[in-house]
Amino acid sequence: TTAAIFWGAFYFVVISTEMVWVKHILNHVQMSTWTRVKVTNLVTALFMVPVMLTGDERVKLIGILTGTIERTAIGALAVTTSCVAGFGISFSGFKLRETVSATTFTFVGVVCKFATVLVNQLVWTHHGSNVGALVLCASIALSIVYKAPKKRATPDPSASVAPEVEGGPAERGAGGSLAHGREDDEATETTKLVK
């Protein structure tokens, strides 16, 4: 349908922009991986606290704080495990983004989504269609043949030397005399040997 095509294209544009933009930030903003994890989780918490206080979670929080809802060890363990897992996933994601290209990171994300879809297909009765699973498999198979472009060689400024023409300005030197030019050449050769 038109809506499905629109949202698919919208997702493609957003995820592509996000992957490249975050890689750019990682390359240009010097920060440790743990600092990135802490900042990301802190910023997320700043947005989640108002959502929690205005939604259904507020009633549960008040109940726990006033004692009308019993605190359980299993509940505390679930919240703690969730927080530790979240920090672990965040750290792994940032560490991988620092190490690989945006395209490779996206590919790893798609493979993880594939694992999630596979578990969903095996465990639950309400899941995506077989055609959707085949399209996902085809996209992963096609992405395997992708190769990152080679980085352009940066020109070495010291390697660019004006071509020498016998008796021309390069050999004559600044003073215009042939002998003065040869002295300059010998000085240049000595400098190169010293370096």
Side-chain angles (χ1 to χ4, degrees), residues 43-122:
V43 170
T44 304
L46 292 175
F47 286 98
M48 291 308 297
V49 169
V51 171
M52 179 190 71
L53 293 177
T54 58
D56 293 335
E57 297 297 319
R58 177 178 47 90
V59 176
K60 294 177 185 174
L61 180 64
I62 291 170
I64 289 172
L65 294 175
T66 59
T68 57
I69 296 178
E70 183 183 350
R71 296 180 204 177
T72 63
I74 293 174
L77 179 65
V79 169
T80 303
T81 303
S82 173
C83 290
V84 170
F87 268 94
I89 291 169
S90 186
F91 180 85
S92 300
F94 276 116
K95 196 65 175 169
L96 185 63
R97 281 181 188 236
E98 290 171 12
T99 308
V100 300
S101 69
T103 305
T104 302
F105 182 79
T106 305
F107 175 70
V108 170
V110 170
V111 171
C112 290
K113 284 180 182 65
F114 178 73
T116 304
V117 169
L118 182 63
V119 169
N120 190 5
Q121 292 275 23
L122 297 174

Side-chain angles (χ1 to χ4, degrees), residues 28 72 102 109 136:
H28 291 87
T72 63
L136 180 62

